[in-house]
Amino acid sequence: MVSLWGSKNGDDQDNSGTATPRDTEQGDSSSYSRPRQQREADERTRLIPPHGGFLDPDDPAVSPYNLWSVRFLRALSIVFLAITLIWWIVLLVAIFVSPPGLSFRGSGYTSFAYTTLTAGNLLVAILFYASPSQPQRIACLTIAVLVLVDVIVILAVPRLRIEEGWVGIASVAWASLMAIWTVVTDRVVEWGKREEEERLTGRAETRRTLRQWCSVFSSSVILVVYIVIVLLFTGVLVLRARDASLQAPGQKYWVDNDKYQVHLFCHGVPADSNSTKRQPTVFFEGGEKPVEDGLVPFAQRCLQNGTIDRYCYWDRPGFAFSDNAPSPLSAGRAADALAEALARADEEGPWVLVSAGIGSIYSRIFASRHANEIQGMMLVDALHEDLLYKVGAPVRGLGLWARGVISPLGIERLPGAIFKHRSRADRVYGKSSGQNDKVLKAKLQENLMANSLTKNEIGAARTIQSKDTQLVVISSGIETRRDSEWERRQKDLTELTDELVSWDVVSGTPHEVWSTPKGQRIMEKRLGQLVRG
């Protein structure tokens, strides 16, 4: 007969001896079960069998992400990465404009470098989160230990502690803490992965897929690079700690509302305050390099042979023994810092200013603001204000910023110390001082303000410059022959005042005129004329 469901298999069932509903009613009801309908799997289908059974190890359901603790730690890692990136942006901005409370007495590049390392470490941990491995944990633990050593070095050396401040110490400590965090998360993920494999597949999986091997290899290579970077960071910190033991010859004075200190040194017989005519003190302003690298030996020679009785010099912010100033820093603000340091040191004029290169910009601004104290000026192959566009070129600024960012790696300083045996003096104010992160920051500040505020300040200084000030201009013969524009600008500098004593073009001398015997003789002769009035 035709069944209720429209099928004709009833007779077949009777003939085949299969139990029918009627037979079931008369016999054991447990011998009958209605066949289940099968349907295709969709998003509502259970991945795990309801009555037991194990999954294939490659099944997507076998994942440590099934555990809330694993998901929570990953979310925390993302939060930490976001915090690090925000701090990274703040430190990047602070290089160019110092926010309140975030001014550095050092360059600020060290804290920026460690924050960059922290962001990279967290990013690697998040990208390869589901592929935990022992090499990754060992590498992260090595990074954590090395960075912790760096924290100890910074805290143990007073000069480093002062230069880095709370910002640098916090940045390095955060880098160490996040390295430890990545070790903890990797260990928890490995535990979660094993737990889920045992629960869903019956055993912990020991093999890895090709994709997992690629993840482990990639993360291990990146972390090894990070270890090398941290080792370079540590080497530079050790060099800086060694350089900090070099004592400054003069005194350091607080300036700009006690935000940073500048180094000032004076030597010779102090002027008699009771004398009707006081002998002027010669003040030396360095050029592109620290004043100790060249001009100070010349000053000492002049003092010994009686050409001058007393001289002073200072290190501009960021150079040699002086701290870095907050950004932005123009030549006018630096000149004001010099005036404040001289006042705190009880040093008074009259002054004869000797400046070279870009240092003449600072000296001229200082002279215009203290005209009554200035007896004379000597400009040695000085930079003209119309050439400040070269100092403020964007390409040059980008190069200085890039060199500053990578300066904590010590790519230049470490080989010089290891293979060329550079001394502390070389690195602080000598041949290698240009590789110093503080000097790079100071030159970047010069670059940023050269075409704007500094140019306006030197323009005003020329307008209000006293015309009664005695003036000597000494130019490099090599530079004037090589560049006709430089020669014209040197000639224009002779018109700063109405009291031009001499304009000397010293043949055969480079930009640093005092580096040759002929240049030293000319400079010494003209300096004696200015001092005697």
Side-chain angles (χ1 to χ4, degrees):
M1 62 179 291
V2 179
S3 69
L4 180 63
W5 309 106
S7 64
K8 297 182 180 181
N9 57 1
D11 295 336
D12 297 336
Q13 292 175 354
D14 293 340
N15 297 333
S16 61
T18 304
T20 64
R22 181 176 301 175
D23 297 334
T24 304
E25 292 176 359
Q26 297 175 356
D28 187 5
S29 60
S30 62
S31 64
Y32 172 75
S33 63
R34 186 171 62 187
R36 294 176 177 271
Q37 282 187 310
Q38 300 294 327
R39 65 177 182 178
E40 295 183 359
D42 55 19
E43 67 276 6
R44 298 179 181 276
T45 304
R46 290 176 59 90
L47 296 178
I48 303 176
H51 299 297
F54 294 111
L55 298 179
D56 186 88
D58 295 329
D59 195 301
V62 184
S63 171
Y65 287 112
N66 294 335
L67 301 177
W68 72 268
S69 57
V70 174
R71 297 194 303 270
F72 177 73
L73 291 183
R74 186 175 188 274
L76 272 183
S77 296
I78 295 175
V79 171
F80 291 151
L81 177 60
I83 294 173
T84 303
L85 291 176
I86 293 173
W87 184 241
W88 184 86
I89 294 173
V90 171
L91 294 178
L92 177 63
V93 173
I95 294 175
F96 302 96
V97 180
S98 300
L102 283 181
S103 60
F104 305 98
R105 292 178 62 182
S107 66
Y109 288 126
T110 299
S111 56
F112 182 78
Y114 277 95
T115 304
T116 304
L117 173 69
T118 306
N121 200 11
L122 287 172
L123 186 61
V124 169
I126 292 172
L127 289 177
F128 303 104
Y129 191 75
S131 301
S133 65
Q134 186 175 7
Q136 184 174 346
R137 290 193 295 276
I138 294 175
C140 289
L141 187 60
T142 303
I143 293 174
V145 172
L146 290 175
V147 177
L148 186 60
V149 170
D150 295 344
V151 175
I152 296 173
V153 171
I154 293 175
L155 292 176
V157 180
R159 186 60 195 169
L160 296 184
R161 189 169 64 246
I162 290 172
E163 289 182 354
E164 297 304 326
W166 73 267
V167 175
I169 295 172
S171 298
V172 180
W174 179 254
S176 179
L177 182 62
M178 289 299 99
I180 296 174
W181 171 260
T182 57
V183 175
V184 173
T185 56
D186 192 83
R187 186 67 185 87
V188 170
V189 172
E190 184 181 54
W191 166 81
K193 183 174 181 294
R194 185 177 63 251
E195 288 291 316
E196 287 300 285
E197 288 171 348
E198 291 177 351
R199 184 174 70 88
L200 300 178
T201 67
R203 62 185 177 87
E205 190 64 38
T206 57
R207 67 182 179 86
R208 294 182 185 270
T209 65
L210 178 61
R211 181 176 181 180
Q212 290 173 335
W213 276 117
C214 290
S215 297
V216 172
F217 177 77
S218 300
S219 61
S220 300
V221 169
I222 295 174
L223 290 174
V224 168
V225 173
Y226 287 171
I227 292 175
V228 174
I229 289 174
V230 176
L231 286 173
L232 294 176
F233 286 173
T234 305
V236 171
L237 285 177
V238 171
L239 275 185
R240 289 177 58 191
R242 171 64 177 162
D243 296 343
S245 63
L246 184 64
Q247 295 296 320
Q251 298 293 325
K252 295 182 180 180
Y253 299 96
W254 288 102
V255 295
D256 194 12
N257 293 323
D258 295 344
K259 292 180 181 177
Y260 62 100
Q261 289 181 321
V262 295
H263 172 242
L264 177 66
F265 176 78
C266 292
H267 184 51
V269 180
D272 185 3
S273 58
N274 297 324
S275 177
T276 56
K277 183 174 176 58
R278 301 180 62 183
Q279 191 75 3
T281 299
V282 180
F283 189 89
F284 289 89
E285 178 77 60
E288 291 73 21
K289 298 178 181 179
V291 66
E292 292 92 342
D293 187 24
L295 277 177
V296 169
F298 170 76
Q300 188 65 25
R301 174 183 171 180
C302 292
L303 182 67
Q304 291 174 352
N305 61 26
T307 303
I308 61 178
D309 294 331
R310 182 174 173 82
Y311 72 89
C312 294
Y313 70 86
W314 81 316
D315 295 318
R316 292 199 301 273
F319 284 78
F321 299 101
S322 292
D323 299 336
N324 282 102
S327 296
L329 178 69
S330 64
R333 290 187 63 183
D336 291 339
L338 171 59
E340 186 176 355
L342 290 172
R344 287 178 179 264
D346 292 327
E347 293 289 342
E348 299 178 353
W351 302 99
V352 171
L353 304 180
V354 179
S355 57
I358 194 172
S360 63
I361 299 293
Y362 297 85
S363 289
R364 288 172 54 191
I365 294 176
F366 179 82
S368 67
R369 296 179 179 182
H370 305 272
N372 295 332
E373 303 177 36
I374 308 302
Q375 178 171 312
M377 291 192 301
M378 177 189 288
L379 306 180
V380 184
D381 212 35
L383 178 72
H384 193 279
E385 59 266 27
D386 290 345
L387 300 180
L388 278 172
Y389 71 91
K390 295 182 179 181
V391 178
V395 175
R396 179 175 180 269
L398 182 61
L400 289 171
W401 176 81
R403 288 185 63 193
V405 168
I406 65 175
S407 62
L409 294 173
I411 296 175
E412 296 175 306
R413 278 188 283 182
L414 289 175
I418 297 173
F419 301 110
K420 297 182 180 180
H421 307 290
R422 298 294 189 194
S423 64
R424 295 175 299 167
D426 286 335
R427 292 189 294 270
V428 174
Y429 57 78
K431 298 178 181 179
S432 303
S433 61
Q435 304 166 1
N436 194 311
D437 56 328
K438 290 170 53 183
V439 175
L440 291 171
K441 173 69 175 296
K443 290 186 175 182
L444 178 62
Q445 290 175 322
E446 282 183 346
N447 170 269
L448 294 174
M449 294 291 103
N451 285 328
S452 54
L453 194 55
T454 295
K455 189 170 185 178
N456 294 336
E457 290 167 344
I458 191 63
R462 180 157 192 162
T463 302
I464 64 178
Q465 174 65 53
S466 174
K467 300 301 180 181
D468 297 331
T469 303
Q470 291 184 325
L471 176 66
V472 170
V473 177
I474 299 178
S475 305
S476 162
I478 295 176
E479 294 296 326
T480 53
R481 291 187 60 183
R482 184 181 61 86
D483 189 347
S484 58
E485 183 182 11
W486 185 267
E487 182 181 13
R488 291 195 303 270
R489 300 308 178 192
Q490 292 294 300
K491 185 178 185 302
D492 182 68
L493 289 174
T494 63
E495 301 174 2
L496 287 176
T497 72
D498 297 334
E499 298 294 332
L500 179 65
V501 175
S502 176
W503 176 29
D504 299 288
V505 180
V506 187
S507 60
T509 57
H511 179 57
E512 297 176 345
V513 178
W514 58 89
S515 62
T516 65
K518 184 177 181 180
Q520 289 182 5
R521 288 194 300 269
I522 295 295
M523 288 177 59
E524 187 176 335
K525 177 182 177 181
R526 301 307 181 195
L527 181 57
Q529 292 177 336
L530 289 177
V531 171
R532 291 188 297 269

